[in-house]
Amino acid sequence: MPGAGAGRAATDVAESGAAQRTARGLVPTLVFLGLVVAVISSLGAPLIPAVAVVHRVSLGDAQWSLTVTLVVGAMVTPVMGRLGDGPARRSVMLAGLGLVVMGCVLAALPFGFVALLVGRGLQGAGLGLTPLTIVVAREALVPARARPTMAVLSITTVAGVGLGYPVTGLITELGGLQAAYWFGAVVAAVALVAAIRVLPHAGNAQAKRLDVPGAILLGVGLGALLLWISKGEEWGWGSAASIGSVVVAVGGLVAWVWHEGRSGHPLVELRLLRLPGVLAADVAALLSGTGMYLLTSLMVQFVQTPPADGGLGGSVVVAGLVLLPFSIGSLLASRIAAPVIRRGWGRVLIPGAALVGLVSVGAFGFVRHDYVVLTVVMAATGLAVGTVFAVLPGMITRGAPPHETGSAMSFNQVLRYVGYSTGSALSAAILVAHTPDGQHFPNAVGYTVAAFAGVAVWVLAAAFGMLLPGKTTEGARR
């Protein structure tokens, strides 16, 4: 009947319009999900002093509000990545966002310090979202649009750090600690609503069997490793707790590698590390993450140190604002990397970025008592880290089979978290070692030594980058 045909045509047009609106909203939604991860990060380190005051605990205990998020994030990210390689990807991402909302609400409610830690642990589930957003972009977008989108998504969490620190710091100063967590809850809830409306279902992906023993072994090994990195200085590197953590970490990770080699459905396909692009991306993520957090940790503490003790005497908001150029540099990197690769110079990106990184952190070691200098240092560091992270998704997606992309991306993300924790712990250990007895702040030599530890990290990154085969980066042209 003509009427029925017209009705079907109208329905098709309506569905087509809805699909186009969804497609237009996909990239902004994916970027917004990345910003949620940045907000979660900004609710950690800058708020530790406020957590100690509000909950009447020591700074060491308050540090757990950061550590527990990193540990949980490192444990759940590989699991989310493996599940995200199958048809449950959309459900996994929505569940992760739901846990973030619950965690922020629980942390904001006046239920005490233990409830805060549980809430921060739930927020750790959000750290597994970034690799899944990259997989969605790869599958849902045409290649010409997917490549730059994946690069932007890879650096969104990095760029968002410089934006999130001053925002959450200002909210905390004006409205208190709970206001910062309520802010996180609102941002995560908005992202959840947008994701429900826009996220597509996985195409024809096959369901993956979860390697439960592998997940447990990796979770135990990584959890123990991150605990040792984060708390070793407080415990004492030679203490029983530190030694026990190292034993558990090494034992768990060795057992995990052995198990993955024998498993028919491994949590992470370690054989992919034989591929130059995948191995290069993982090493670059670890070293760049270490260099990034080493400098940002130094910067935040130096800016807030009183002038009488050699610092600049800024507030937590000012310290956060100093990180803003880092975000700008990171975003600029995504604009620079693509044309460089298209012109066939992709091989120089990682060693070139590492050179910029070592010069910037070296400059901080010598000249740091001027906000203009600090602005340039952070912008250059953002450009370096952003360039590396913009290259990584392409290196992995070119090297890993499509059905392993989520798992490979998630493992790369885990190595970033290990690098973040290592950089933060390394800077803290050096500064503590150069803090005179009876003093609260380190001497000037401590900052210089820590800065040159950062130079050493970037030298390693540059050396490794120069050894990479050209196809690991230049293949982006194909």
Side-chain angles (χ1 to χ4, degrees), residues 193-292:
V193 172
I196 291 173
R197 292 175 57 87
V198 173
L199 281 183
H201 293 276
N204 297 319
Q206 296 181 347
K208 298 293 181 69
R209 182 179 173 187
L210 181 62
D211 178 16
V212 176
I216 294 174
L217 288 172
L218 181 60
V220 169
L222 282 176
L225 176 64
L226 288 176
L227 279 177
W228 175 67
I229 291 173
S230 302
K231 305 297 291 183
E233 181 61 37
E234 178 188 340
W235 290 341
W237 298 109
S239 67
S242 289
I243 295 174
S245 294
V246 171
V247 170
V248 172
V250 172
L253 293 175
V254 169
W256 173 70
V257 171
W258 177 83
H259 171 79
E260 295 297 280
R262 297 171 59 88
S263 175
H265 47 89
L267 182 70
V268 176
E269 183 53 82
L270 293 179
R271 285 185 286 268
L272 293 176
L273 294 178
R274 300 173 184 173
L275 302 173
V278 177
L279 176 61
D282 287 344
V283 175
L286 178 64
L287 293 175
S288 299
T290 301
M292 167 190 162

Side-chain angles (χ1 to χ4, degrees), residues 150 275-282 284 350 388 390-400 409 464 468-469 471-474 476:
M150 290 190 297
L275 302 173
V278 177
L279 176 61
D282 287 344
I350 289 182
V388 174
V391 173
L392 298 187
M395 296 171 68
I396 294 175
T397 55
R398 288 190 301 275
M409 286 287 187
F464 180 80
L468 297 180
K471 65 180 180 180
T472 60
T473 51
E474 296 184 21

Side-chain angles (χ1 to χ4, degrees), residues 10 42 50 84 130 154 179 182 191 215 232 240 268 272 285 299 331 365 394:
S42 71
T130 301
S154 182
W182 282 121
V268 176
L272 293 176
M299 189 70 70
L331 294 173

Side-chain angles (χ1 to χ4, degrees), residues 104-119:
C104 289
V105 170
L106 184 59
L109 293 173
F111 291 160
F113 184 59
V114 174
L116 169 68
L117 293 183
V118 173

Side-chain angles (χ1 to χ4, degrees), residues 64-88:
W64 282 98
S65 63
L66 170 63
T67 303
V68 69
T69 307
L70 289 174
V71 170
V72 172
M75 292 171 68
V76 303
T77 295
V79 175
M80 292 175 67
R82 173 53 70 193
L83 294 175
D85 275 330

